Amino acid sequence: MQQIPVHQHDPKQVDGKIYVRLTEGHFQQIRRVISGGLMLMFFLTAWINLDGQQIVLFDFSSRRLHLFGMLMSPKDIYLLAGFMIVGAILLFALASAYSRVWCGFACPQSIWTWVFIRIETITEGRRNNRIKDDTKGWNTAKLSRRIAKHSLWAAFATLTSMTFIGYFVPIREIANDIISLNLSLEMFSWILIFALLTYVNAGLVREKVCAHMCPYARFQSVMFDPDTRNISYDVERGEPRHKNRSSNDSGDCIDCKLCVHVCPTGIDIRQGLQSDCISCGACIDACDDVMTRMRRPTGLIRFISENQEQGKASPVLRPRIYAYIAAIVMISGYLIWAFVNKEALIIDVIRDRQTLFVTNGAGEVCNEYKLIVENVSIANNSFTLGLDSTLLRLEGKSQLNLQQGQRDELNYRVCAPVNADTSLLPRQINFTAANSAGQWQQLSSFIMPQQRR
Ligand code: SF4
Ligand code: SF4
């Protein structure tokens, strides 16, 4: 197992603020496309409705999850767990192949941190200006720059918080309540809490989350092997580094430190692989730019595996990756099958507890029930409702036609002749619903006068 050193920060940045310099280049373009796409998805998906229903909504009040036109109940929670397991294996495969590219390119913590750094650069200027600003005293210009930065951070954090909560409470309701100044104190508090968390995470704590709070930084070495592509500085080519390449034995590194200045976690990758590196590729882009300007080949810092460094064959697709892919295919296959064949109907039976039984004009003793039925399949369905006992008579609607996602509350009576032999009558009864796809049932109790002791 490859051991990854924990910290080797640039000495000037230890215990201090990290002033990140934004850079341009191949990997930054890829990162922006991925993070821009994901961010757009996050902000827009909550607003998309299908047949009047928000397409992604974790509705805790009715214990239902609406997912792209499908309805899931707590019984389907194992499906969600399964999809999360597939996601985790995908992450392992990605880490084994290309180290922490998930962290650098797609993790929400990084994406939001980059946005906050961009806002900081727009409002307070580039890295050098920000350092100068921090060493100078306060004046009106500095104060207005700070106010602008923190206001934009706060606005973006609030927008993020409202959207996030909009996946648990219909987002249009939240928006209407805000517009009509009718927001409840509870909702206001939730928005405030998540906005604060976003603000602190992406604005103030930043790379410390990746280094100290995210467990991934610690166990990543388990997933690395000699074929894993890591961000690596070519020591042989770069050293000895010299600011002006006057000496004949100078390496290609001109010690400009741009690779350190652009690093969002503030490390110097020239010290070797470190656990704080989130594989964002910013140092590659910065160094490639320097090398191009120096008319030297690019790639002084690059994604390379240990085996490649030693000139050995190093395929990305290897047995370990094939094993991950096989696991993903098998679990996904099972989940898709389970999803298509998942429970089509949920029946809840609520027995009337006010009146144990009533007698009707036909000389029968009846118990009263409320049935809550919900079609949670991916299609409209019809069901025939009945009882599992032929000794009892069910009074109520026997044919149910439910649209996909439709929920109905229906009243039923279960009756038996008043003089029936109670020893033959069941005390436990099952309400059944059946169609050509299967049968569903829910247990309840039946009480006759003689059964009271
Ligand atoms: S950016 Fe490249 S040349 Fe500049 S210090 Fe880093 S490795 Fe050396
Ligand atoms: S060392 Fe390079 S790849 Fe790693 S986090 Fe810093 S800039 Fe990104």
Side-chain angles (χ1 to χ4, degrees):
M1 187 196 305
Q2 196 171 2
Q3 290 303 314
I4 303 173
V6 176
H7 300 287
Q8 289 185 23
H9 285 269
D10 175 32
K12 285 186 187 148
Q13 295 185 329
V14 170
D15 294 335
K17 194 168 154 186
I18 295 173
Y19 297 89
V20 183
R21 175 186 172 134
L22 292 175
T23 186
E24 296 300 327
H26 174 68
F27 289 104
Q28 298 323 290
Q29 275 173 6
I30 296 176
R31 189 179 56 70
R32 278 174 206 146
V33 168
I34 294 173
S35 54
L38 291 173
M39 204 170 241
L40 218 61
M41 241 168 70
F42 169 75
F43 281 115
L44 293 185
T45 307
W47 289 96
I48 302 174
N49 276 10
L50 188 68
D51 296 334
Q53 172 63 54
Q54 195 171 313
I55 60 166
V56 180
L57 184 68
F58 296 79
D59 188 351
F60 284 128
S61 58
S62 61
R63 301 191 302 146
R64 297 286 178 268
L65 164 60
H66 299 269
L67 205 60
F68 303 106
M70 293 172 286
L71 193 64
M72 296 170 90
S73 69
K75 285 183 181 171
D76 304 318
I77 205 81
Y78 75 99
L79 290 172
L80 275 190
F83 283 118
M84 283 160 97
I85 290 169
V86 169
I89 300 173
L90 199 61
L91 198 63
F92 294 163
L94 213 56
S96 296
Y98 285 99
S99 56
R100 290 181 77 177
V101 283
W102 157 262
C103 307
F105 288 76
C107 173
Q109 174 66 29
S110 303
I111 295 176
W112 260 252
T113 298
W114 282 115
V115 172
F116 274 55
I117 292 172
R118 173 70 64 183
I119 292 173
E120 192 169 59
T121 310
I122 292 168
T123 51
E124 294 188 332
R126 297 176 63 140
R127 181 177 186 272
N128 288 345
N129 297 340
R130 301 204 301 272
I131 294 174
K132 256 192 238 155
D133 232 15
D134 275 0
T135 51
K136 281 196 303 197
W138 286 94
N139 56 35
T140 321
K142 179 173 166 177
L143 186 66
S144 4
R145 284 196 288 272
R146 285 288 152 90
I147 291 174
K149 177 180 87 172
H150 289 289
S151 308
L152 285 174
W153 278 5
F156 195 68
T158 308
L159 190 65
T160 303
S161 168
M162 278 164 44
T163 309
F164 179 72
I165 294 171
Y167 284 99
F168 299 90
V169 176
I171 197 161
R172 283 176 170 77
E173 279 178 24
I174 301 177
N176 286 338
D177 286 351
I178 291 173
I179 292 165
S180 59
L181 300 178
N182 208 16
L183 201 64
S184 68
L185 182 65
E186 188 189 2
M187 186 54 69
F188 175 77
S189 310
W190 280 116
I191 292 175
L192 191 69
I193 289 168
F194 282 106
L196 265 174
L197 283 175
T198 310
Y199 180 91
V200 170
N201 263 352
L204 310 177
V205 187
R206 292 186 181 174
E207 77 292 340
K208 292 175 193 73
V209 174
C210 313
H212 305 295
M213 289 158 78
C214 175
Y216 189 65
R218 293 288 170 269
F219 69 74
Q220 58 178 318
S221 53
V222 179
M223 287 168 270
F224 285 17
D225 61 31
D227 290 314
T228 302
R229 271 71 176 155
N230 289 301
I231 304 271
S232 188
Y233 165 72
D234 190 337
V235 180
E236 279 193 14
R237 191 186 135 191
E239 302 295 319
R241 56 188 90 153
H242 286 285
K243 278 207 185 305
N244 51 5
R245 301 182 65 251
S246 48
S247 143
N248 284 340
D249 67 347
S250 295
D252 276 354
C253 176
I254 57 166
D255 205 18
C256 63
K257 289 200 167 52
L258 274 182
C259 51
V260 184
H261 297 167
V262 298
C263 178
T265 63
I267 55 173
D268 185 347
I269 197 65
R270 294 172 302 169
Q271 311 284 338
L273 180 64
Q274 293 153 69
S275 68
D276 286 10
C277 173
I278 56 167
S279 303
C280 68
C283 53
I284 301 183
D285 286 334
C287 189
D288 278 355
D289 187 40
V290 174
M291 290 298 113
T292 308
R293 280 189 273 132
M294 298 290 298
R295 298 182 196 283
R296 303 291 304 157
T298 56
L300 181 56
I301 302 175
R302 62 194 191 280
F303 272 104
I304 190 169
S305 74
E306 212 178 296
N307 279 342
Q308 279 176 319
E309 276 179 323
Q310 293 166 9
K312 296 181 192 165
S314 181
V316 173
L317 291 175
R318 50 195 191 276
R320 182 181 190 149
I321 305 288
Y322 284 125
Y324 284 136
I325 294 173
I328 290 169
V329 170
M330 279 193 299
I331 300 174
S332 303
Y334 167 74
L335 289 173
I336 291 167
W337 175 85
F339 203 87
V340 171
N341 294 290
K342 82 181 179 70
E343 292 283 4
L345 184 74
I346 293 176
I347 315 175
D348 284 330
V349 181
I350 302 168
R351 200 178 177 289
D352 185 356
R353 297 201 181 278
Q354 304 289 329
T355 332
L356 289 180
F357 51 82
V358 290
T359 47
N360 65 11
E364 290 177 315
V365 172
C366 302
N367 289 197
E368 296 185 331
Y369 304 84
K370 180 184 279 180
L371 260 66
I372 302 166
V373 287
E374 187 168 5
N375 176 7
V376 289
S377 72
I378 51 175
N380 302 337
N381 266 316
S382 298
F383 304 92
T384 305
L385 219 98
L387 280 179
D388 64 347
S389 168
T390 51
L391 300 173
L392 300 169
R393 185 177 66 81
L394 181 68
E395 197 177 291
K397 199 173 176 185
S398 62
Q399 202 59 40
L400 304 179
N401 299 312
L402 296 174
Q403 307 281 313
Q404 182 204 359
Q406 187 180 339
R407 186 173 189 268
D408 259 354
E409 289 187 13
L410 305 150
N411 293 318
Y412 284 89
R413 275 184 164 189
V414 175
C415 303
V418 77
N419 55 1
D421 182 353
T422 51
S423 65
L424 297 175
L425 294 178
R427 294 179 183 201
Q428 300 286 312
I429 52 170
N430 267 313
F431 285 86
T432 60
N435 66 10
S436 56
Q439 177 165 313
W440 299 266
Q441 59 185 35
Q442 185 63 45
L443 193 67
S444 190
S445 58
F446 179 74
I447 298 175
M448 285 286 280
Q450 293 89 334
Q451 289 170 327
R452 285 187 299 169
R453 294 197 173 101

